[in-house]
Amino acid sequence: PRPTRPSPNERRSKRFHDAGMSKRALSDVGEKVLSKATAENWNEGASAFAEAAVDAGSVFATFLVGSVDFYCRDSTLECDEQRAKARRSRGASLLARAAVAGSPDAHHTLAIMHFNGSGGKRKDKDPETGAAFCARGNILFGSAAAKRELGHCLQDGFGVEQDVQLGRKLLAEAAKADVTTPAMDTAVVAATVAAGAVEERLRKRNDINTLNAAVAAAAEVSAAAKHAAEQHLTAPPVARFLLDWYDPEVCGNVLQPGTHACSHPLCGRVETRRHEFRRCSCCGRVRYCSRSCQSLDWRLQHKFACLPLLELYGWIESDTESQDTTNQAFGDEAELALASGASSNDLTADLPVEAQAAR
């Protein structure tokens, strides 16, 4: 039989398809297009399109695929450790390529990876390289996250020669950049108002007289602050992908046993080994991948739930019994971590400036 000729509409569709999949078009694929490739609808087709964009030279696609390969655990590779390690190695390589191509987010991610020794062992931590990535991100792009990380490094002498004055200057510039971002400023105000309302309601109950009750009350205040802040903040596409990947209500993927996600609600990074992220030195209940996430989360929610601040709320007394209960609550976990080879420095993170002032 004679083959049927394609209709004009079919020929037109083919031309559009060929034009859209051309190398020139794929190299320009950015956040607006790939933000539709969420974790929930990530399949072979979406992955193939993102890989094609990577091969064509798209910077954002390279950063996205690199982050997915490095941080997203593939349950199908659990029994093949070598393939899983190769996938993570490829992710790190793609993130480095995106940084070279000019991605500020890739610079920040690589800095955090070097600070934590992500993908390797504790001995693989390289604070000098991490600080160098932060400096590069600050100089080339004026990134607020890079400024904040570098400011803390300079204050603490972590990876760079200590310069407290310059560190404070960079932290002030980062804070100024946050204030000029309407969404962040609005979120902080909304979180404070919501937390104040819940705290006032809990105070009127006048029955929070034990440590457990105080912790539960603080968690309720923090949850209200977090919910109010999230109404005004939107996670970047890559962070949203990572958050949804491990969200039990979205994709339902599980973390590697013994590992945790960063406690900042809009981060999405996860540990690649046990005790990789540092914990809050006050309460020990939250973990952060970086000082930047810690300081931002403090403003949004954690300052309402950190245990030493419960005394300021008047919810618990600073007596021996409370101290013993606190040590019992967190001592076992810390001892277990230390027995497994983690140092005390790896388990704690310094307090933000606001917390130090409160104490």
Side-chain angles (χ1 to χ4, degrees):
R2 178 182 297 178
T4 58
R5 297 180 61 185
S7 66
N9 287 337
E10 290 175 338
R11 292 197 298 269
R12 191 179 302 111
S13 297
K14 186 177 185 306
R15 287 198 300 270
F16 277 123
H17 177 271
D18 293 342
M21 294 300 293
S22 67
K23 186 174 181 179
R24 180 177 179 181
L26 289 173
S27 64
D28 292 332
V29 170
E31 181 177 326
K32 188 174 182 179
V33 174
L34 287 176
S35 61
K36 301 182 184 301
T38 62
E40 191 173 9
N41 59 24
W42 189 254
N43 50 34
E44 291 184 4
S47 177
F49 178 79
E51 292 286 357
V54 170
D55 294 338
S58 170
V59 177
F60 182 79
T62 305
F63 174 58
L64 171 64
V65 176
S67 299
V68 171
D69 283 353
F70 190 83
Y71 285 111
C72 292
R73 186 184 182 207
D74 190 347
S75 58
T76 62
L77 299 180
E78 287 186 13
C79 299
D80 194 339
E81 185 176 350
Q82 187 174 359
R83 286 181 59 196
K85 187 176 181 180
R87 182 173 186 262
R88 179 162 286 166
S89 177
R90 178 178 182 265
S93 176
L94 289 176
L95 288 171
R97 190 196 304 181
V100 171
S103 170
D105 293 327
H107 276 81
H108 188 218
T109 299
L110 286 170
I112 292 173
M113 288 166 55
H114 282 87
F115 285 144
N116 297 321
S118 301
K121 300 180 180 180
R122 291 186 62 248
K123 65 180 182 180
D124 296 322
K125 292 182 178 182
D126 189 355
E128 289 79 12
T129 302
F133 272 113
C134 289
R136 181 181 171 88
N138 176 41
I139 294 172
L140 295 181
F141 313 110
S143 169
K147 285 181 185 293
R148 190 176 292 107
E149 294 290 350
L150 186 58
H152 285 298
C153 288
L154 288 166
Q155 277 197 323
D156 302 336
F158 184 65
V160 293
E161 185 177 351
Q162 189 174 26
D163 189 336
V164 177
Q165 185 175 359
L166 180 57
R168 289 177 178 174
K169 179 181 178 181
L170 290 176
L171 290 174
E173 292 178 1
K176 185 177 180 181
D178 290 337
V179 171
T180 57
T181 304
M184 175 59 71
D185 194 35
T186 304
V188 172
V189 173
T192 304
V193 172
V198 176
E199 182 181 339
E200 184 65 24
R201 175 173 58 81
L202 292 172
R203 284 180 183 278
K204 292 180 179 179
R205 284 170 40 184
N206 199 29
D207 61 349
I208 304 175
N209 48 19
T210 65
L211 177 61
N212 289 337
V215 171
E220 186 176 346
V221 174
S222 179
K226 176 182 177 182
H227 178 74
E230 288 179 339
Q231 306 305 310
H232 303 278
L233 294 175
T234 303
V238 174
R240 184 76 268 164
F241 190 106
L242 299 179
L243 290 166
D244 291 344
W245 186 265
Y246 292 106
D247 190 335
E249 297 181 359
V250 182
C251 293
N253 294 293
V254 295
L255 290 168
Q256 185 178 351
T259 62
H260 301 81
C262 179
S263 296
H264 189 287
L266 301 180
C267 175
R269 296 186 186 91
V270 298
E271 292 179 323
T272 60
R273 67 175 187 279
R274 297 184 63 187
H275 310 305
E276 177 181 329
F277 295 165
R278 292 187 297 175
R279 298 192 300 176
C280 174
S281 58
C282 283
C283 65
R285 290 294 185 96
V286 294
R287 292 170 171 81
Y288 298 106
C289 67
S290 64
R291 294 292 296 271
S292 180
C293 281
Q294 181 194 19
S295 60
L296 289 175
D297 189 58
W298 176 264
R299 297 179 63 197
L300 292 175
Q301 61 167 338
H302 189 52
K303 64 182 177 182
F304 303 110
C306 201
L307 281 181
L309 296 185
L310 296 179
E311 292 184 27
L312 300 181
Y313 293 147
W315 284 346
I316 59 175
E317 298 179 0
S318 178
D319 56 9
T320 305
E321 181 180 356
S322 297
Q323 294 296 327
D324 292 342
T325 309
T326 304
N327 293 335
Q328 182 179 359
F330 303 119
D332 294 341
E333 185 178 357
E335 289 176 4
L336 179 62
L338 291 172
S340 65
S343 68
S344 58
N345 292 333
D346 194 40
L347 296 176
T348 58
D350 294 335
L351 276 173
V353 177
E354 299 92 332
Q356 294 176 1
R359 296 188 72 183

